[in-house]
Amino acid sequence: MEGNPKPSAGELLIEVQGLAKHYGPIRAVDGISFEVRRGDVLGFLGPNGAGKTTAMKMITGFVEPDRGRVSVAGHDLADESLEARRKIGYLPETAPAYGEMTVAGFLEFIAEARGVDNISAALDRVVQAAALGRVVHQTIETLSKGFQRRVSLAQALIHDPEVLILDEPTDGLDPNQKAVVQELITRLSAGRAIVLSTHILDEAERVCNRALVISEGKILVDSTPEDLIAQAPNHNVMRLVVESSAVADLMGVLEAKPWCDRVERLSETTLDVYPHRGENYLGELMEVTSGLEIHSIHLQEGRLNELFREITRGVEA
């Protein structure tokens, strides 16, 4: 898909093997394994209760797994916990902040807690990265949700980590605020490994070069947004509107073509033509309809939300 980075061949920064967590009889995470390399933006997609947040908490060391292992930038999270955590910036779904503190004061506090050497330089860097310059001296409680989310992202960046774990980074934001944060994540991906969870399928399309679909604690799909879209229902389906008198004969001609799986008549004048294996046969359709009075032809693109519903069908959202 245009605009999406390709899967990275960079250095391995996150390695997850057989990670599992049970809460009594509930299998929150059920033996998942995956890798994330420098330059990757990996999207965790799944319905509520799928296990995304629990998995992210285990990767950051906030929750101890029942089994499995996590390695961050070559450091085993169990054996070298401090070294691994120093490489991670974490944005929880509900990131804590002190509303009475100014943006600058809060970020300086986080920098001190992180043991950052040059706090002034770190503050300048994250304020610029998160575009917080005009609110840096305001108290956090006076900020919009969009700015508060950017402050939370800035605290995850204050120690310049190689790995970013972002849980629902645009949750609760309006469309303009979401776009700003999504653009920021794209800029931050250079030289880092980023894992983000989202319910927003368009967000995964915009900012991720890989996508894991998780349901009931298991990985159902590990692919790229491009490949997922290509697998989505209605990908490359051709909708055409023609004169009603030509519809019946045209359906017969189309159904006889080896590249046509089936034709559905939606109205007196509208047909949906489903291609073989979801491939693009628009040129072939144009040849067939040459000479007919065509009002419109539209090539549909599969959407991740369609495939998401198909993959997780039967799982309560």
Side-chain angles (χ1 to χ4, degrees), residues 240-280:
L240 66 158
V241 180
V242 300
E243 284 296 309
S244 58
S245 59
V247 168
D249 290 341
L250 180 59
M251 287 183 67
V253 172
L254 290 170
E255 288 170 343
K257 296 294 181 181
W259 50 263
C260 178
D261 271 354
R262 69 182 191 279
V263 181
E264 291 184 1
R265 185 169 185 172
L266 304 182
S267 70
E268 287 187 3
T269 59
T270 304
L271 299 176
D272 271 357
V273 183
Y274 288 79
H276 184 58
R277 295 182 178 176
E279 296 178 9
N280 187 336

Side-chain angles (χ1 to χ4, degrees), residues 80 101 112 121 256 264 315:
E80 302 175 277
M101 297 180 74
E112 289 177 2
E264 291 184 1
V315 178

Side-chain angles (χ1 to χ4, degrees), residues 1-4 6 201-206 224-239 272-275 278-282 297-309:
M1 180 176 47
E2 187 176 354
N4 269 1
K6 296 298 182 182
L201 283 303
D202 284 346
E203 185 163 84
E205 293 181 51
R206 288 191 185 101
T224 66
E226 283 180 322
D227 288 343
L228 288 175
I229 289 168
Q231 297 172 41
N234 295 336
H235 185 59
N236 281 333
V237 169
M238 297 163 285
R239 178 165 294 178
D272 271 357
V273 183
Y274 288 79
E279 296 178 9
N280 187 336
Y281 289 103
L282 184 59
I297 294 180
H298 172 64
L299 183 67
Q300 301 182 54
E301 182 184 69
R303 307 296 291 178
L304 277 179
N305 57 351
E306 297 170 345
L307 184 64
F308 178 81
R309 287 194 295 267

Side-chain angles (χ1 to χ4, degrees), residues 69-123:
R69 60 178 293 272
V70 177
S71 176
V72 179
H75 300 287
D76 188 281
L77 190 59
D79 299 334
E80 302 175 277
S81 178
L82 186 58
E83 292 84 352
R85 290 171 189 244
R86 283 174 175 159
K87 301 290 185 180
I88 299 172
Y90 180 36
L91 174 63
E93 185 176 2
T94 52
Y98 298 101
E100 70 278 7
M101 297 180 74
T102 65
V103 171
F106 174 67
L107 293 176
E108 287 172 357
F109 167 72
I110 297 297
E112 289 177 2
R114 279 285 192 178
V116 173
D117 291 331
N118 191 335
I119 292 177
S120 176
L123 184 62

Side-chain angles (χ1 to χ4, degrees), residues 85-92 95 106-107 110 114 125-126 149-166 188 192:
R85 290 171 189 244
R86 283 174 175 159
K87 301 290 185 180
I88 299 172
Y90 180 36
L91 174 63
F106 174 67
L107 293 176
I110 297 297
R114 279 285 192 178
R125 174 175 49 80
V126 299
R149 204 62 177 153
R150 281 148 70 178
V151 170
S152 298
L153 187 53
Q155 66 79 27
L157 291 168
I158 197 69
H159 57 301
D160 198 18
E162 294 182 87
V163 171
L164 279 177
I165 309 295
L166 310 176
L188 292 171
R192 292 185 173 89

